[in-house]
Structures are given as structure tokens and as C-alpha cells.
Amino acid sequence: MSVSKEVPLAGVRVADFTWVWAGPSATLQLAHLGAEVIKIESLERVDTTRRLPPYADNTIGHNRAGYFNQYSQGKKSVVLNLKNAKGLEVAREIVRSSDVVADNFAAQVMDRLGLGYEDLKKVRPDIIAISMSGYGQTGPKRNYIAYGPVQVPMIGLASLSGYPGRGPSEVGLSYGDPNAGMHAAFAVLAALWHRRRTGEGQFIDLSQWEAAIGLVAEGLLDWVFNKSQPDRMGNRDLAEAPQGVFRCLGDDRWVAIACWSDAHWEALARAMGREDLVGRVDLRTREGRKAHELELEQAVADWTAARTPEDVVATLQAAGVPAYNPLSNRGVAEDPQLNARGAFTEFDHPEVGRRRHVGAPWTFRKSDVRARGRAPLLGEHTAEVLMSVLGYDASRIRELDEAGAFGPPGWLSRHWQGG
């Protein structure tokens, strides 16, 4: 299939001040869509995700972290010392050449750096700036510090998760971060469209907290409608039964089953060979099945315990019942469906070699949308961007280097062969 050589965001440049997860996941989507994303990094405070495992071959290094290498695909890395007047001057020059400025710092951090929206407008009047702070730029808690594991409890999800008789449970993932990233990318696209029609830039104030509330909106509405806070129920569902994760034949083998309609239930019971359950009047409605939940869970568990997950999945999928085996890390990487769809992409990396990454989540028929390259080494594109984007010559770059614009004086000349 042929695709257009014109990518959706061709010609769009993003000055990316984001770090950790929420912001980088937003600019990753823009990179997939073809924007030139210039990631502004600090040598003094290296991005957290460069300092988190897993590391390639379990060898620690700023360019070896899987976390960073996944969410920085297709970006360029420029190191700047924003506490240095010359470094800040370079940052503003990059903004002048950019269409979008993104950050996910706490409220007012960009203002304190001299890079708040009012400052940015003086540099480029039609700039689009998005700030993805945890609590938003306004309100009594705007200066609170947010982090992924805290955001899950903040939206009510932890209070709904866990087992009966126990406290709120961590869900194992900082949902707020990638969720905010997707919302931010969507907002930037809308702002770019607005600027195309009107010529106007604007400031986008995205609260990661507010963006994540929609993940559990039904919980909020249960309180709004009924003043109800349901008990935690482990793998069970509030309304449907049977469903959950059931042990299968083998060591630590499991299968996830969802039974969300009368038809699902009848198909499940027949697949298990339980015509006696199919014929029971008291199980024909979800209310009836919920009333006999423990009995039905035991019936399903007895059936799955004698079968491999693969057997269960094949049998239930053929019968029209949603089921899949919980995948290990290896299972995800080797899943035939994901690989057949091209969900993964591979890039050669100068430090970690050729590695597999999660690719772009979309398949376009008419446009060139894809993961565009490996993650950058720390500061890899500093000289390149200064020359190709800002038009600096080698003499100017050396002057900035000696003035500490990039970090310790002389850092760039020690890492850039052309210096």
C-alpha cells in the first residue's frame, strides 16, 4: 500500500521541555505524526526515565534505559543549562523557531525559569504552549507536587481496587501519565488547527488529575447519582458474573474470562459442558448470576484447572466468550497477533544495539504515521540543532560552550567532534 510522503505534522517543530512520563508520552505521539521534537535536557538534572530500570543488558547508563528509549523515539536531544543566561538565551531561540512548547513541570516552574507563556509570547506571538502540571495552573492546590503512583488514588481508582476487607490498592501502573500524554497531544492538534484558521497561538492548561478522572467516571457518577461507594471486590465486577482470572493447568498458568451478557453466559456454560447450568432459570439474568457468583466461580475454576490457558482461550473464543491468557513480558513481545499487526518496531542504537520497541498505535491508510527512529543519546543533537535550526557557526557554539550554556564549561567540545 502506498502512503503519502507528506506526514500529518510535517513542518511542525516542538520545543520539548518535558520529562518523566506524562510529557514525553505526549510529544512521542507528535513525533509519530511527523513533528520535529527537540527535547531540551539538563546535565545537572538528567531525565528521571534515563535513570530508571530496565537497562539494556542490565548495565546502568543514561542512554540504556528502556523507559527513556521507549518514550523518546524519534526525538532530538539538546542539553542546555537553563540557569545560565546564555543557555536560557539558546532555549528562547529554539522557542522562536518552534510552533509548540511543551512542559509537564509543576505550576509556575516555567514562569520561574523565564519561559512562562507571557515570556514565550514575546519571543513568538503565535506560539502554542501546553503545560501538563499535576493539578493545573490555578486553584488552591496548584503548587502541590504530583507523581504517577499518587495520581491513581487521587482519581478514586485505588479506592475501587483491591480485595474485600482490605485497604485501597495500587494498580501497578501510573495511569495518569500516559493518559495525560494522549490528552495533551490531542489538545495540541486542536490548537494547531485553531492557529491554522486564525493565526492565533494560545496557552493550554492541562491538569493531569482532571484528564484522568474520566478513567473512572462511572465511580464518580455512582456517588453523584446514589451517594454510593461500593466495596472493593478483587477480580469481580460490580454487575456481571462470572468474570475474573482463573487458575489453569500448569505452573502459574491463568486465564482471564469476561461474561458480560446472557449470551456470553449460555455459551460459557455450554463450552464447559454444563447443560445443567444452562437450564437453570435462576441463572438466566445477570442479577441471578450475581446472586450465585461464588457457585459459578467455582464451576469455572474447576473447568479451567484441568486445561491449559491456550485450550481455554481457543474453546471460549470459538464459542464467542471474551477470554485471553494473562501475558508475561515475553508473551507480549512474542504475541502473534501483535506481531502480525506490526505493533512493534526495531531500531539500531549506538549503545544498546538493535532493540524492539512499542511502535505507533495507529495504522493510517493514506498518511505516513509511524515510529520514526530510536531515542537520542543525551545531548546528541545539541550542535546539530544549533547549526541547522538556529544557524549558529562553530565559533558561536564554542563561545556558548565555554560560557557554560550547555553544562560544565567545555562539555560540548568534549562530546562533539565538530567542535
Side-chain angles (χ1 to χ4, degrees):
M1 180 183 302
S2 63
V3 296
S4 168
K5 292 182 180 179
E6 189 73 16
V7 296
L9 293 185
V12 172
R13 181 174 292 139
V14 179
D16 180 7
F17 291 84
T18 70
W19 70 334
V20 196
W21 193 5
S25 66
T27 52
L28 174 66
Q29 314 312 320
L30 302 178
H32 286 340
L33 292 168
E36 180 187 17
V37 178
I38 300 174
K39 182 175 176 64
I40 313 298
E41 301 200 69
S42 166
L43 293 176
E44 182 180 0
R45 298 188 68 189
V46 174
D47 192 327
T48 302
T49 56
R50 285 191 183 274
R51 296 179 278 118
L52 288 177
Y55 297 103
D57 307 315
N58 294 314
T59 301
I60 296 174
H62 288 157
N63 300 313
R64 306 183 65 83
Y67 211 148
F68 180 86
N69 285 0
Q70 168 60 36
Y71 292 100
S72 299
Q73 293 175 72
K75 302 178 184 178
K76 297 178 178 178
S77 172
V78 170
V79 292
L80 290 177
N81 178 8
L82 297 180
K83 295 179 180 177
N84 178 287
K86 296 291 185 182
L88 185 59
E89 178 184 323
V90 174
R92 287 176 173 149
E93 287 300 307
I94 293 175
V95 169
R96 192 188 308 279
S97 300
S98 299
D99 302 280
V100 178
V101 174
D103 81 87
N104 60 323
F105 298 128
Q108 299 184 319
V109 168
M110 288 291 275
D111 292 312
R112 290 198 293 270
L113 288 171
L115 295 169
Y117 181 57
E118 296 304 319
D119 298 305
L120 299 178
K121 280 199 305 181
K122 296 174 184 174
V123 175
R124 177 160 177 168
D126 65 346
I127 195 73
I128 294 166
I130 180 164
S131 181
M132 293 168 265
S133 61
Y135 297 77
Q137 299 290 321
T138 59
K141 298 179 181 178
R142 64 175 181 163
N143 292 321
Y144 275 29
I145 300 170
Y147 223 73
V150 177
Q151 288 182 339
V152 169
M154 286 164 59
I155 63 174
L157 182 55
S159 292
L160 292 167
S161 301
Y163 290 91
R166 300 183 185 178
S169 177
E170 175 58 77
V171 298
L173 175 68
S174 299
Y175 274 119
D177 284 84
N179 177 75
M182 283 300 215
H183 280 78
F186 187 81
V188 167
L189 295 180
L192 285 169
W193 182 250
H194 175 82
R195 193 179 72 174
R196 181 177 178 180
R197 289 188 295 111
T198 67
E200 297 175 333
Q202 60 183 301
F203 178 66
I204 304 168
D205 174 7
L206 184 148
S207 154
Q208 294 183 33
W209 190 2
E210 292 172 38
I213 291 174
L215 293 171
V216 286
E218 69 272 26
L220 171 66
L221 291 181
D222 195 11
W223 175 256
V224 171
F225 288 167
N226 308 310
K227 297 294 183 285
S228 174
Q229 177 71 34
D231 295 331
R232 287 176 281 277
M233 58 189 73
N235 286 327
R236 290 177 172 175
D237 181 74
L238 182 64
E240 304 288 351
Q243 86 150 24
V245 180
F246 298 88
R247 184 178 288 279
C248 291
L249 184 65
D251 183 26
D252 197 26
R253 305 298 309 280
W254 304 83
V255 67
I257 299 173
C259 189
W260 271 62
S261 70
D262 297 344
H264 285 163
W265 159 243
E266 184 174 335
L268 173 61
R270 290 191 189 284
M272 294 192 300
R274 295 295 303 269
E275 292 294 334
D276 58 315
L277 297 178
V278 176
R280 278 177 51 176
V281 175
D282 59 346
L283 299 179
R284 289 180 179 172
T285 65
R286 70 178 188 182
E287 291 81 6
R289 294 190 291 276
K290 190 67 180 174
H292 295 83
E293 189 165 36
L294 186 59
E295 175 191 355
L296 298 184
E297 287 175 342
Q298 189 60 57
V300 175
D302 290 344
W303 182 68
T304 60
R307 291 162 178 79
T308 66
E310 292 77 14
D311 288 341
V312 173
V313 170
T315 299
L316 295 186
Q317 288 287 348
V321 179
Y324 212 77
N325 44 314
L327 296 176
S328 64
N329 295 343
R330 178 177 180 177
V332 172
E334 297 179 353
D335 186 88
Q337 169 67 14
L338 294 174
N339 281 279
R341 290 269 304 163
F344 305 114
T345 187
E346 294 187 352
F347 295 111
D348 292 315
H349 187 285
E351 278 204 30
V352 307
R354 190 168 185 83
R355 303 288 174 151
R356 174 171 294 192
H357 304 71
V358 179
W362 318 286
T363 300
F364 281 57
R365 293 194 174 187
K366 300 293 184 181
S367 301
D368 181 11
V369 177
R370 56 186 165 83
R372 297 183 183 279
R374 63 169 172 83
L377 307 178
L378 180 60
E380 177 181 357
H381 302 95
T382 304
E384 174 193 320
V385 168
L386 265 58
M387 289 189 291
S388 65
V389 176
L390 304 186
Y392 293 179
D393 60 20
S395 174
R396 172 67 169 147
I397 294 173
R398 278 196 294 272
E399 177 186 333
L400 290 168
D401 193 21
E402 292 305 318
F406 311 116
W411 179 88
L412 189 60
S413 65
R414 294 192 292 273
H415 293 79
W416 174 44
Q417 296 301 317

